[in-house]
Amino acid sequence: MSYNFESGLSKALEQLLKIESYYDVIIHVGREPNFKEFHAHSNILCCRSEYFNKILSTENIEKKDGKYIIKEPNISSQVFEIILKYLYTDQMNIANKTGTELLDLMIISDKLMLKKLVKLIEEYIIEHQQRFLQNDPVRILRIISYCKALVNLQELCLNKICSEPGILFNSDKFIQLSAPLLEIILQRDDLNLNEIEIWENLIKWGLAQEQVLNQDVSKWNKDDFNIFKRILYKFIPLIRFYEIPSEDYFNKVKPYEKVLSKELRNDITKFYMVPGYKPIYTPRNSNRLKCNIDSIIINQEHIAHFVNWIDRKKKEYINDVPYEFKLLYRASRDGNTAAAFHTKCDNKGATIVIVKFKNSEQIIGGYNPLFWDSSNSEKSTIDSFIFSIADKNNFQSAKVVYSNGSLYSIRNYSHCGPYFGWNNLFVNLRDNPDFWYYYHCNSVNVSYIGALNLPNQIDVGDFEVFQVIKK
């Protein structure tokens, strides 16, 4: 018969570590002024860490006064103290650690070959430190890219970057990105950028790698093109040139065309000029978000977020868009009048409205899951929402508010355009078509729903209405 007793072994080993009795290992950790000396026991280190077992098993290990000497100048003494205690007690409290502290712990644990601890911390970060990961996924990706064991965390950061490319490509850190990391990102099928945008960013990155190159490509000589070709040679096969519109190719790719092989240039020319021509140099299959959007305000990246809001999902990104977005109305194209809006948009089912501030990158809008009409009445729904994105290139600034069953979710007034009633975001196309209005009421129907931080009167550059069609 066996009995299970609460063991005092971990407490005894913790006490042994504290009093430093019978230690035979001296570990020098960190650098001045954060240098610290730790005393440990070789038998415990060898049993608990493959890393230390290898060091202590080497014949030429440094010894002084009968004690092994190990030097770890690139490890933080604060982090090592936590890990050393874990090696003795098998205990570590990570719930009170910041995201940065957890990342440091995980990197050092990986170096010390503590696989169990690495996995534990990685799972905790993914589950409990999403905000930390979202704040600076580029820096985190750069750090963890050297740790092959952290595949789940790396994938999470890559997913975030591919979902919101502005995090990387609009950052000053982009041009500092290493070539291997950039290659990994451009190999992704879910990178949510148009191909011409990928090309433009690649050019920006390439120019930053060789400071002697003139920013004006028209002034380049043969040597300049050869230098740039060497910088970009790994990335050229990753660009889907055949997805770039001919006008963009002429204006933005052709000036740098000499970095492409002659065969590739000829193949691209045939593709543009010969109807039905099947390219020879086809890049890998594209599994990117496929949802053409006829808009002068938004792009495919915005669609991915709108779909998540429509379906009330918490995903950062989706590859298979279950909706078609068909442009019904553009104020600058169709006439900024109530008659034009209702002619184009009434009784078309669900729609999403996109409004751009004048002389600003801010956009606002809303989703009507029902339909517009001219009945001068109100409709209730739980699924209508309004949103604001302070900078349309930065989705960290996005905010969305749902109607949640307000009696005035949608107001259908013949003299107005789109009118989201529970939060009163609307345009009066009869009296003042150049301005949208926002009035957040404090009534019992809406006060609990939340509000967007918008001015009462918004000077609008343009707005569009898209029919949202379930595929």
Side-chain angles (χ1 to χ4, degrees):
M1 180 178 290
S2 63
Y3 295 91
N4 292 322
F5 296 99
E6 184 178 351
S7 174
L9 180 59
S10 62
K11 291 184 178 179
L13 290 176
E14 183 178 6
Q15 186 65 18
L16 180 65
L17 178 63
K18 285 182 179 179
I19 63 177
E20 300 181 345
S21 298
Y22 311 110
Y23 71 89
D24 61 345
V25 181
I26 298 174
I27 308 172
H28 297 159
V29 178
R31 304 176 189 271
E32 294 294 350
N34 297 313
F35 169 84
K36 189 172 182 179
E37 181 176 297
F38 293 89
H39 299 159
H41 305 80
S42 59
N43 51 357
I44 293 178
L45 294 182
C46 288
C47 291
R48 296 285 287 157
S49 168
E50 182 182 348
Y51 176 82
F52 283 120
N53 184 46
K54 288 182 177 180
I55 292 178
L56 292 167
S57 299
T58 57
E59 294 182 359
N60 59 347
I61 185 173
E62 182 181 351
K63 295 189 75 172
K64 183 177 180 181
D65 299 330
K67 292 180 171 55
Y68 300 104
I69 306 297
I70 300 175
K71 297 178 181 179
E72 296 290 352
N74 297 321
I75 295 180
S76 158
S77 59
Q78 294 88 345
V79 171
F80 186 77
E81 186 170 4
I82 296 171
I83 291 179
L84 187 60
K85 182 179 178 181
Y86 165 79
L87 293 177
Y88 275 74
T89 67
D90 207 28
Q91 296 176 0
M92 178 182 293
N93 181 11
I94 60 176
N96 62 349
K97 298 289 188 292
T98 66
T100 301
E101 290 171 336
L102 289 172
L103 196 60
D104 290 341
L105 273 172
M106 191 167 55
I107 299 299
I108 302 306
S109 298
D110 182 68
K111 173 182 171 64
L112 301 181
M113 301 180 182
L114 303 174
K115 297 178 182 178
K116 178 182 175 181
L117 187 56
V118 170
K119 182 174 177 59
L120 172 70
I121 299 174
E122 183 184 40
E123 290 176 350
Y124 184 85
I125 290 177
I126 291 173
E127 184 175 354
H128 299 284
Q129 293 284 340
Q130 287 285 329
R131 184 172 295 277
F132 166 69
L133 294 175
Q134 293 175 9
N135 284 342
D136 197 351
V138 178
R139 180 179 71 89
I140 296 170
L141 181 62
R142 290 170 64 183
I143 293 172
I144 65 178
S145 62
Y146 301 102
C147 302
K148 294 181 179 179
L150 306 180
V151 291
N152 293 329
L153 195 56
Q154 177 171 303
E155 184 65 17
L156 191 64
C157 290
L158 286 171
N159 285 341
K160 184 66 179 177
I161 289 170
C162 289
S163 169
E164 300 181 20
I167 292 172
L168 171 64
F169 294 97
N170 294 337
S171 166
D172 293 338
K173 298 176 183 177
F174 169 62
I175 59 175
Q176 302 167 13
L177 203 64
S178 67
L181 268 182
L182 180 58
E183 187 177 5
I184 288 172
I185 292 169
L186 295 188
Q187 286 173 341
R188 300 273 298 204
D189 287 329
D190 57 348
L191 179 57
N192 196 17
L193 274 181
N194 293 325
E195 211 63 30
I196 188 59
E197 294 176 287
I198 295 175
W199 172 257
E200 289 178 300
N201 280 291
L202 180 59
I203 295 298
K204 181 175 70 172
W205 179 87
L207 290 174
Q209 309 312 302
E210 187 58 67
Q211 299 294 335
V212 299
L213 289 174
N214 194 312
Q215 298 291 310
D216 185 354
V217 67
S218 67
K219 297 180 180 179
W220 285 10
N221 56 33
K222 183 177 180 181
D223 289 338
D224 293 330
F225 277 104
N226 286 335
I227 291 172
F228 206 51
K229 189 173 184 177
R230 287 196 296 270
I231 294 172
L232 300 188
Y233 82 97
K234 281 188 176 181
F235 307 105
I236 296 300
L238 304 179
I239 304 299
R240 300 178 174 96
F241 292 102
Y242 306 100
E243 293 184 10
I244 297 176
S246 57
E247 184 178 349
D248 283 333
Y249 185 88
F250 183 84
N251 292 325
K252 299 176 181 180
V253 179
K254 193 171 179 58
Y256 299 92
E257 206 176 34
K258 290 181 181 179
V259 303
L260 311 183
S261 68
K262 183 178 180 180
E263 294 79 10
L264 179 57
R265 296 200 303 266
N266 289 339
D267 199 51
I268 294 171
T269 301
K270 286 183 181 179
F271 172 76
Y272 287 126
M273 298 186 68
V274 180
Y277 175 74
K278 186 175 181 179
I280 298 174
Y281 293 89
T282 53
R284 69 201 186 284
N285 291 330
S286 174
N287 293 321
R288 294 180 187 168
L289 176 65
K290 290 299 182 183
C291 181
N292 294 325
I293 182 75
D294 180 12
S295 175
I296 60 175
I297 302 176
I298 60 172
N299 56 35
Q300 292 183 3
E301 187 176 356
H302 298 89
I303 293 299
H305 287 268
F306 295 156
V307 170
N308 286 330
W309 294 342
I310 290 170
D311 288 344
R312 292 179 181 257
K313 292 184 178 180
K314 295 182 179 180
K315 293 181 181 179
E316 293 296 338
Y317 178 78
I318 56 177
N319 288 321
D320 184 20
V321 177
Y323 301 97
E324 176 186 350
F325 289 78
K326 179 183 178 182
L327 180 66
L328 296 177
Y329 170 84
R330 179 180 295 140
S332 60
R333 181 193 70 178
D334 301 313
N336 199 16
T337 66
F341 166 75
H342 286 289
T343 298
K344 295 280 188 178
C345 301
D346 279 4
N347 302 306
K348 295 295 176 66
T351 56
I352 191 162
V353 181
I354 316 296
V355 184
K356 186 181 183 301
F357 281 36
K358 192 172 184 178
N359 301 321
S360 171
E361 290 300 301
Q362 183 165 2
I363 60 174
I364 58 173
Y367 173 65
N368 176 0
L370 305 174
F371 56 87
W372 300 110
D373 62 41
S374 305
S375 63
N376 296 318
S377 63
E378 293 83 22
K379 294 184 177 70
S380 175
T381 174
I382 63 171
D383 293 324
S384 180
F385 62 78
I386 59 174
F387 68 88
S388 171
I389 306 177
D391 178 354
K392 69 176 185 178
N393 301 310
N394 176 14
F395 285 92
Q396 297 291 334
S397 65
K399 185 176 181 181
V400 61
V401 178
Y402 289 88
S403 62
N404 289 335
S406 166
L407 296 176
Y408 309 100
S409 300
I410 301 298
R411 297 177 188 254
N412 291 292
Y413 295 160
S414 59
H415 63 283
C416 290
Y419 198 137
F420 300 92
W422 81 97
N423 245 313
N424 285 313
L425 176 65
F426 67 98
V427 56
N428 185 333
L429 291 174
R430 180 184 62 192
D431 297 339
N432 203 343
D434 295 326
F435 291 91
W436 277 62
Y437 297 92
Y438 176 73
Y439 298 107
H440 174 247
C441 303
N442 290 320
S443 72
V444 68
N445 290 323
V446 299
S447 60
Y448 69 93
I449 295 175
L452 302 180
N453 184 23
L454 298 174
N456 293 138
Q457 182 172 290
I458 303 162
D459 193 357
V460 169
D462 207 346
F463 81 94
E464 299 171 332
V465 181
F466 295 89
Q467 184 180 19
V468 181
I469 306 168
K470 186 77 173 179
K471 291 181 180 178

mmCIF file of all heavy atoms in Angstrom, residues 210-224:
data_model
loop_
_atom_site.group_PDB
_atom_site.id
_atom_site.type_symbol
_atom_site.label_atom_id
_atom_site.label_comp_id
_atom_site.label_asym_id
_atom_site.label_seq_id
_atom_site.Cartn_x
_atom_site.Cartn_y
_atom_site.Cartn_z
ATOM 1 N N GLU A 210 20.589 50.385 -48.067
ATOM 2 C CA GLU A 210 21.780 50.871 -48.770
ATOM 3 C C GLU A 210 21.691 52.380 -48.887
ATOM 4 O O GLU A 210 21.083 52.925 -49.808
ATOM 5 C CB GLU A 210 21.865 50.214 -50.151
ATOM 6 C CG GLU A 210 23.147 50.504 -50.903
ATOM 7 C CD GLU A 210 24.392 50.083 -50.138
ATOM 8 O OE1 GLU A 210 24.592 48.870 -49.934
ATOM 9 O OE2 GLU A 210 25.150 50.994 -49.741
ATOM 10 N N GLN A 211 22.298 53.076 -47.931
ATOM 11 C CA GLN A 211 22.143 54.521 -47.823
ATOM 12 C C GLN A 211 22.771 55.281 -48.995
ATOM 13 O O GLN A 211 22.429 56.432 -49.243
ATOM 14 C CB GLN A 211 22.769 55.010 -46.504
ATOM 15 C CG GLN A 211 22.126 54.419 -45.259
ATOM 16 C CD GLN A 211 20.691 54.887 -45.081
ATOM 17 O OE1 GLN A 211 20.302 55.944 -45.551
ATOM 18 N NE2 GLN A 211 19.891 54.063 -44.402
ATOM 19 N N VAL A 212 23.686 54.654 -49.735
ATOM 20 C CA VAL A 212 24.370 55.387 -50.804
ATOM 21 C C VAL A 212 23.489 55.551 -52.038
ATOM 22 O O VAL A 212 23.792 56.359 -52.922
ATOM 23 C CB VAL A 212 25.681 54.658 -51.210
ATOM 24 C CG1 VAL A 212 26.627 54.575 -50.034
ATOM 25 C CG2 VAL A 212 25.391 53.279 -51.771
ATOM 26 N N LEU A 213 22.395 54.787 -52.108
ATOM 27 C CA LEU A 213 21.528 54.879 -53.278
ATOM 28 C C LEU A 213 20.721 56.177 -53.269
ATOM 29 O O LEU A 213 20.156 56.558 -52.242
ATOM 30 C CB LEU A 213 20.576 53.685 -53.331
ATOM 31 C CG LEU A 213 21.199 52.329 -53.678
ATOM 32 C CD1 LEU A 213 20.157 51.230 -53.557
ATOM 33 C CD2 LEU A 213 21.797 52.359 -55.079
ATOM 34 N N ASN A 214 20.666 56.814 -54.403
ATOM 35 C CA ASN A 214 19.850 58.010 -54.557
ATOM 36 C C ASN A 214 18.373 57.625 -54.473
ATOM 37 O O ASN A 214 17.954 56.626 -55.055
ATOM 38 C CB ASN A 214 20.145 58.666 -55.909
ATOM 39 C CG ASN A 214 19.604 60.077 -56.006
ATOM 40 O OD1 ASN A 214 18.447 60.332 -55.674
ATOM 41 N ND2 ASN A 214 20.450 60.989 -56.460
ATOM 42 N N GLN A 215 17.568 58.387 -53.741
ATOM 43 C CA GLN A 215 16.143 58.086 -53.620
ATOM 44 C C GLN A 215 15.412 58.242 -54.950
ATOM 45 O O GLN A 215 14.339 57.679 -55.145
ATOM 46 C CB GLN A 215 15.504 59.008 -52.565
ATOM 47 C CG GLN A 215 16.068 58.832 -51.162
ATOM 48 C CD GLN A 215 15.702 57.495 -50.550
ATOM 49 O OE1 GLN A 215 14.532 57.117 -50.549
ATOM 50 N NE2 GLN A 215 16.685 56.787 -50.012
ATOM 51 N N ASP A 216 16.003 58.991 -55.872
ATOM 52 C CA ASP A 216 15.425 59.199 -57.205
ATOM 53 C C ASP A 216 15.978 58.135 -58.145
ATOM 54 O O ASP A 216 17.126 58.200 -58.590
ATOM 55 C CB ASP A 216 15.767 60.602 -57.710
ATOM 56 C CG ASP A 216 15.096 60.931 -59.036
ATOM 57 O OD1 ASP A 216 14.452 60.024 -59.619
ATOM 58 O OD2 ASP A 216 15.223 62.074 -59.494
ATOM 59 N N VAL A 217 15.153 57.131 -58.452
ATOM 60 C CA VAL A 217 15.614 55.999 -59.252
ATOM 61 C C VAL A 217 15.984 56.417 -60.675
ATOM 62 O O VAL A 217 16.785 55.733 -61.344
ATOM 63 C CB VAL A 217 14.531 54.900 -59.271
ATOM 64 C CG1 VAL A 217 13.300 55.373 -60.020
ATOM 65 C CG2 VAL A 217 15.057 53.610 -59.871
ATOM 66 N N SER A 218 15.448 57.529 -61.141
ATOM 67 C CA SER A 218 15.762 57.981 -62.512
ATOM 68 C C SER A 218 17.228 58.380 -62.658
ATOM 69 O O SER A 218 17.733 58.494 -63.773
ATOM 70 C CB SER A 218 14.856 59.153 -62.901
ATOM 71 O OG SER A 218 15.137 60.304 -62.113
ATOM 72 N N LYS A 219 17.920 58.575 -61.538
ATOM 73 C CA LYS A 219 19.322 58.981 -61.565
ATOM 74 C C LYS A 219 20.269 57.807 -61.330
ATOM 75 O O LYS A 219 21.479 57.990 -61.180
ATOM 76 C CB LYS A 219 19.561 60.070 -60.521
ATOM 77 C CG LYS A 219 18.768 61.347 -60.786
ATOM 78 C CD LYS A 219 19.034 62.409 -59.734
ATOM 79 C CE LYS A 219 18.222 63.682 -60.027
ATOM 80 N NZ LYS A 219 18.442 64.732 -58.999
ATOM 81 N N TRP A 220 19.721 56.597 -61.289
ATOM 82 C CA TRP A 220 20.551 55.430 -61.036
ATOM 83 C C TRP A 220 21.320 55.015 -62.289
ATOM 84 O O TRP A 220 20.822 55.136 -63.419
ATOM 85 C CB TRP A 220 19.690 54.251 -60.593
ATOM 86 C CG TRP A 220 19.190 54.366 -59.174
ATOM 87 C CD1 TRP A 220 19.266 55.451 -58.352
ATOM 88 C CD2 TRP A 220 18.511 53.353 -58.425
ATOM 89 N NE1 TRP A 220 18.687 55.178 -57.134
ATOM 90 C CE2 TRP A 220 18.218 53.891 -57.149
ATOM 91 C CE3 TRP A 220 18.123 52.044 -58.712
ATOM 92 C CZ2 TRP A 220 17.544 53.169 -56.164
ATOM 93 C CZ3 TRP A 220 17.467 51.314 -57.739
ATOM 94 C CH2 TRP A 220 17.179 51.866 -56.473
ATOM 95 N N ASN A 221 22.522 54.482 -62.055
ATOM 96 C CA ASN A 221 23.290 53.876 -63.134
ATOM 97 C C ASN A 221 23.233 52.355 -63.003
ATOM 98 O O ASN A 221 22.534 51.815 -62.134
ATOM 99 C CB ASN A 221 24.744 54.377 -63.121
ATOM 100 C CG ASN A 221 25.420 54.121 -61.771
ATOM 101 O OD1 ASN A 221 25.121 53.125 -61.101
ATOM 102 N ND2 ASN A 221 26.330 54.989 -61.380
ATOM 103 N N LYS A 222 23.973 51.675 -63.848
ATOM 104 C CA LYS A 222 23.941 50.213 -63.857
ATOM 105 C C LYS A 222 24.377 49.628 -62.525
ATOM 106 O O LYS A 222 23.783 48.652 -62.025
ATOM 107 C CB LYS A 222 24.839 49.696 -64.975
ATOM 108 C CG LYS A 222 24.819 48.191 -65.132
ATOM 109 C CD LYS A 222 25.681 47.742 -66.304
ATOM 110 C CE LYS A 222 25.657 46.223 -66.445
ATOM 111 N NZ LYS A 222 26.515 45.776 -67.589
ATOM 112 N N ASP A 223 25.389 50.210 -61.902
ATOM 113 C CA ASP A 223 25.884 49.705 -60.608
ATOM 114 C C ASP A 223 24.816 49.847 -59.524
ATOM 115 O O ASP A 223 24.676 48.963 -58.661
ATOM 116 C CB ASP A 223 27.152 50.451 -60.194
ATOM 117 C CG ASP A 223 28.342 50.081 -61.065
ATOM 118 O OD1 ASP A 223 28.300 48.991 -61.678
ATOM 119 O OD2 ASP A 223 29.302 50.868 -61.132
ATOM 120 N N ASP A 224 24.081 50.958 -59.560
ATOM 121 C CA ASP A 224 23.028 51.172 -58.569
ATOM 122 C C ASP A 224 21.958 50.082 -58.675
ATOM 123 O O ASP A 224 21.506 49.531 -57.666
ATOM 124 C CB ASP A 224 22.388 52.546 -58.751
ATOM 125 C CG ASP A 224 23.339 53.684 -58.424
ATOM 126 O OD1 ASP A 224 24.215 53.488 -57.567
ATOM 127 O OD2 ASP A 224 23.211 54.764 -59.031
#
